[in-house]
Amino acid sequence: MNCVLEGNSIKAFGKAIHALSRVGDELWLDPTVKGQYNLDSVREQDSGPIKCKLVMKCVLPLFRCSTSIEHSVKRCQISVSTGSDQVIVQFFCRHGITKTYNVRFLESEALQAVFASHLCPNVLKSPARLLGDMVMHFHASQEEVTLSMSAPKVSLRNYNEGRNDHMKMMHTEMSLHPDEFDYFQAGMDSDITFCLKELRGLLCFAESHCLPVSVHFGTPGKPVCFSVEDMVLEATVVLATLADFESRGPSQPTETPAPTTHSCADAAALPVGIHETQSNNLQVLPDVTELVESSQGSPITYPPVLMQLQCQGDSACAGMTPPSSMICSLLFEAMSSESGDDDDAPRLPVLAYFSDEEDYPRSPSL
Amino acid sequence: MKFRGKIIDIACLNHFTRVVTTISKLTKMCVLRLTPDNLFFVLSGKVANGGVSMWCELSQANFFDEYQMEGVSSEDNEICLEVTPENLSRALKTVQNAKAVKVKLTKKHCPCLTIAAELPTLSSVSRVVTHDVPVDVIPRRLWHEFKEPSMPDFDVSIYLPPLKTMKNIVDRMKNLSNFLVIEANLNGEMNLKIETDLVSVTTHFRDLGNPPWGDDASQDGGPSQSRDPESMVEARVDIRRLQQFLVGQQVNPSKAMCNIVHQSVLHLILLHEDMSLQYFIPAVA
């Protein structure tokens, strides 16, 4: 792979790395066919495009100082050297200075989270500023928030259930009128609880590019998707939400579970039901659950009702006691503005993170 | 018990937020006393906080456009709440651009001070944000612990040097020693000293000036008037307490002074336009 970034793209790339660094500790580089990718050189190799997994700690420092990058770096070239298992990042700077960084990678298949956002009943679209203003009211240490949709308004409040001192914690709530959004679709009343930390990274990125943010969600338990796009880039964050214990579906057991600690951390430390989908038409939302990096340290419990994931057919339902299963997926698609042809639907490059791969049978496409 | 206050003026909101933020830097928990005319943030000197005590007085009329309260009873027309000032500070900091901010005593899952702000938006409808800060109601029988402290029978009273300068010096001295001696005389001279086995450092301040209390403020008048203006009076204090006090000050006060009771207590007084703050640090042997 050989990729060249010039001018403002370098800054945008750096900002994307920053946003991703707030989501996870590892970074996948997954080049696609579009852009400046050279097909011929690929054919010479036996395998297809190299998928690189990099440690975020090694990559982030390269793009740390966005102001100095803006001033001094004219061109950035990223290439992969399979022989030495290294990603080579070269900054061609002013005054003839070239900085070369060799970052070792692990070759690995990235997990692609699939999310049918067009099927979500609730959709919000607003400038990043609005969401940033909403989120600003919550302290940086606030782990989880609940977003409530009920037809005349949307509200956001902090979520503290299950913590020992939740009686003594500050409760913050705010509500917004539909008029404040660029687009407001309230398909169903729903309260979803998700982790705020990962979202902040994306909001920061979106605000710096002045992009509107779209939010797609449905029932509690199903993921929520935050996405931004413009002409040259697209970013999506899919977050798990807490399942709602109160609403009982027919597939759930009759006994009442005793919910002990509710948190996204608990919801996520559960078996992952991975669906095999044959086509690109995604009919079923996978019940992916995530252990997002919550430093709550709350004990992991397995309330029986959450075990009832919609595993279908012969798809892999992993065992009941995963030590930790993390899926934080950020799909980042860099589309070159030069390429005009859209004949084949681009396979989205995936920057996804899935640890403990040995424990879970992976399907290459979901 | 009822309390309802409303702040509309942006400058008042800003000042109030700054006061609360200063208090939050001085102590983790304190008592908020509400009377018909004033608000007090009180910390009573207990072993847990190293014997340090604080008294901060605000006149409600300087901040609130509307202020209504009903105390515990008609004779005791006061409300005493234990609160974490940092929560209040966080809530207030996020609503600095509000059209109006209401502070109310409410009962949600527990007694709370609710900060409800109306924020301006681009659309016609205002955005409403509420923060519920949990509080503990202090029963009447404990109110005596949170009375206004009496002026100590000090030996020397002197104006402080610029707080920023003091803070810089204390910060550096903290690296060398855990205890600092503050000494001053009636000639406007003050020294900050630290002494360890290896090193002793003294910073001298001159021409600070002494407040004219001596004539009427001191209880028995005699000792302070007959004191030799050159002789120094000192108090040895835990340097971290002094540093904590200095770190919290965000704005230069109109007047800053301290009273020293020889080897007993350091009494710091800051007077701002709209509030006064007193801070007592006991001396250690």
Side-chain angles (χ1 to χ4, degrees):
Chain A
M1 178 206 51
N2 192 6
C3 149
V4 174
L5 299 160
E6 303 223 12
N8 281 335
S9 312
I10 308 176
K11 197 169 153 204
F13 191 77
K15 289 217 161 103
I17 303 275
H18 278 270
L20 291 172
S21 71
R22 292 167 86 162
V23 174
D25 293 330
E26 291 174 353
L27 181 69
W28 266 260
L29 286 183
D30 218 353
T32 54
V33 176
K34 269 185 166 186
Q36 308 228 355
Y37 188 80
N38 189 336
L39 278 173
D40 291 336
S41 65
V42 168
R43 268 190 223 116
E44 283 160 21
Q45 298 166 357
D46 34 1
S47 57
I50 302 296
K51 297 176 201 303
C52 315
K53 176 168 101 170
L54 301 163
V55 176
M56 184 61 80
K57 256 190 348 187
C58 299
V59 179
L60 186 60
L62 274 57
F63 296 92
R64 175 141 276 152
C65 262
S66 57
T67 37
S68 75
I69 286 183
E70 204 181 346
H71 290 142
S72 54
V73 180
K74 294 193 289 193
R75 206 170 98 236
C76 170
Q77 186 164 329
I78 303 178
S79 54
V80 176
S81 154
T82 43
S84 51
D85 281 353
Q86 284 179 340
V87 168
I88 301 165
V89 179
Q90 278 186 304
F91 290 118
F92 295 93
C93 311
R94 284 189 350 192
H95 311 302
I97 298 174
T98 304
K99 296 192 216 178
T100 307
Y101 299 90
N102 301 323
V103 185
R104 217 162 273 285
F105 70 83
L106 292 173
E107 187 169 340
S108 83
E109 190 81 37
L111 188 68
Q112 185 171 345
V114 146
F115 184 74
S117 53
H118 59 281
L119 293 178
C120 284
N122 296 333
V123 181
L124 298 170
K125 192 163 176 195
S126 73
R129 201 65 231 280
L130 180 71
L131 284 183
D133 283 348
M134 283 171 73
V135 153
M136 180 261 285
H137 293 280
F138 300 93
H139 195 253
S141 61
Q142 180 64 44
E143 303 267 356
E144 286 141 358
V145 291
T146 303
L147 175 68
S148 286
M149 170 80 92
S150 65
K153 66 178 175 121
V154 167
S155 75
L156 194 63
R157 54 183 187 273
N158 63 344
Y159 181 78
N160 289 324
E161 310 285 335
R163 300 178 67 120
N164 296 334
D165 53 348
H166 93 275
M167 291 291 290
K168 281 295 167 186
M169 301 219 43
M170 204 164 104
H171 285 232
T172 302
E173 177 161 354
M174 59 175 312
S175 57
L176 287 91
H177 195 265
D179 286 350
E180 295 198 62
F181 293 92
D182 293 340
Y183 181 78
F184 184 93
Q185 175 183 309
M188 58 178 284
D189 284 359
S190 162
D191 297 349
I192 52 164
T193 301
F194 54 88
C195 281
L196 195 51
K197 184 177 154 212
E198 283 75 13
L199 177 59
R200 286 191 204 264
L202 179 75
L203 287 183
C204 204
F205 180 75
E207 269 190 80
S208 67
H209 290 263
C210 300
L211 294 171
V213 179
S214 300
V215 189
H216 292 87
F217 61 104
T219 52
K222 299 274 191 278
V224 55
C225 169
F226 296 89
S227 55
V228 298
E229 66 178 306
D230 80 355
M231 295 220 303
V232 294
L233 58 83
E234 200 178 286
T236 310
V237 174
V238 178
L239 297 172
T241 65
L242 270 191
D244 186 10
F245 285 105
E246 277 69 60
S247 65
R248 301 199 180 277
S251 60
Q252 287 163 348
T254 47
E255 72 266 25
T256 316
T260 49
T261 50
H262 295 203
S263 72
C264 289
D266 300 341
L270 289 169
V272 175
I274 302 175
H275 300 268
E276 305 261 0
T277 57
Q278 303 306 320
S279 66
N280 281 334
N281 282 342
L282 310 153
Q283 299 303 322
V284 178
L285 296 171
D287 280 338
V288 289
T289 51
E290 304 173 18
L291 180 66
V292 287
E293 284 149 281
S294 165
S295 54
Q296 282 182 326
S298 36
I300 296 173
T301 60
Y302 305 103
V305 68
L306 283 179
M307 301 301 204
Q308 290 279 339
L309 299 178
Q310 293 155 13
C311 293
Q312 291 177 0
D314 51 351
S315 65
C317 273
M320 298 300 226
T321 55
S324 66
S325 59
M326 294 172 83
I327 306 176
C328 298
S329 57
L330 184 68
L331 310 171
F332 185 97
E333 175 175 344
M335 303 188 289
S336 165
S337 48
E338 287 141 11
S339 70
D341 53 311
D342 288 320
D343 11 279
D344 48 320
R347 193 171 55 78
L348 294 171
V350 169
L351 301 167
Y353 174 110
F354 189 47
S355 67
D356 294 327
E357 293 160 60
E358 309 74 44
D359 297 344
Y360 298 94
R362 278 181 286 107
S363 46
S365 69
L366 291 172
Chain B
M1 269 196 314
K2 276 196 251 183
F3 169 63
R4 200 180 160 280
K6 191 165 169 185
I7 305 180
I8 298 180
D9 185 81
I10 283 230
C12 293
L13 178 60
N14 190 263
H15 290 169
F16 189 65
T17 308
R18 265 198 272 119
V19 171
V20 175
T21 306
T22 301
I23 303 288
S24 72
K25 297 210 156 83
L26 289 175
T27 174
K28 221 165 157 257
M29 299 207 71
C30 72
V31 167
L32 170 61
R33 275 181 62 182
L34 300 164
T35 67
D37 296 319
N38 293 307
L39 292 92
F40 304 97
F41 288 97
V42 187
L43 179 68
S44 70
K46 298 222 168 83
V47 177
N49 30 296
V52 164
S53 58
M54 170 192 77
W55 176 266
C56 176
E57 185 171 326
L58 295 83
S59 166
Q60 59 89 352
N62 282 337
F63 298 93
F64 290 88
D65 290 89
E66 285 170 29
Y67 185 95
Q68 296 144 20
M69 67 148 289
E70 249 177 57
V72 171
S73 69
S74 42
E75 309 94 50
D76 297 311
N77 193 19
E78 211 180 284
I79 301 175
C80 245
L81 305 167
E82 190 182 34
V83 71
T84 303
E86 195 186 351
N87 286 342
L88 281 178
S89 164
R90 278 188 205 171
L92 289 168
K93 279 200 263 201
T94 65
V95 298
Q96 287 300 291
N97 61 334
K99 289 201 266 198
V101 174
K102 290 191 209 147
V103 184
K104 307 181 270 205
L105 185 61
T106 55
K107 186 153 172 64
K108 305 265 165 103
H109 51 282
C110 67
C112 285
L113 266 184
T114 296
I115 304 204
E118 215 182 293
L119 300 170
T121 63
L122 295 171
S123 77
S124 52
V125 185
S126 291
R127 199 184 302 164
V128 174
V129 179
T130 49
H131 295 275
D132 293 316
V133 177
V135 295
D136 258 327
V137 178
I138 306 263
R140 244 179 301 186
R141 59 190 162 82
L142 295 176
W143 285 11
H144 62 273
E145 289 182 28
F146 308 106
K147 285 195 322 225
E148 177 163 8
S150 49
M151 180 72 80
D153 194 13
F154 54 83
D155 298 307
V156 164
S157 180
I158 187 169
Y159 287 117
L160 291 173
L163 293 182
K164 197 145 177 253
T165 311
M166 254 186 104
K167 177 181 166 316
N168 285 339
I169 290 166
V170 171
D171 280 348
R172 278 154 184 71
M173 285 182 165
K174 181 169 167 291
N175 293 332
L176 298 168
S177 168
N178 285 335
F179 297 99
L180 174 144
V181 171
I182 181 168
E183 62 175 24
N185 65 20
L186 287 169
N187 228 4
E189 288 170 350
M190 175 192 281
N191 299 332
L192 298 176
K193 305 196 296 197
I194 53 159
E195 195 166 318
T196 68
D197 290 339
L198 293 175
V199 66
S200 67
V201 182
T202 309
T203 304
H204 305 268
F205 295 96
R206 280 201 268 273
D207 297 327
L208 291 172
N210 302 83
W213 304 110
D215 306 335
D216 42 50
S218 179
Q219 305 292 358
D220 39 30
S224 58
Q225 282 171 352
S226 61
R227 173 169 291 284
D228 168 20
E230 294 288 334
S231 85
M232 288 282 187
V233 151
E234 68 171 39
R236 186 164 179 265
V237 298
D238 183 334
I239 204 171
R240 287 166 300 180
R241 305 285 172 200
L242 183 58
Q243 190 196 37
Q244 195 173 17
F245 173 76
L246 293 167
V247 153
Q249 305 315 316
Q250 305 179 296
V251 186
N252 275 330
S254 324
K255 279 199 167 63
M257 64 194 91
C258 77
N259 299 335
I260 306 179
V261 181
H262 187 60
Q263 287 171 349
S264 178
V265 80
L266 173 64
H267 177 205
L268 298 150
I269 308 176
L270 301 184
L271 297 175
H272 293 256
E273 271 175 30
D274 41 20
M275 72 108 156
S276 70
L277 176 64
Q278 295 180 53
Y279 201 69
F280 296 82
I281 308 179
V284 296

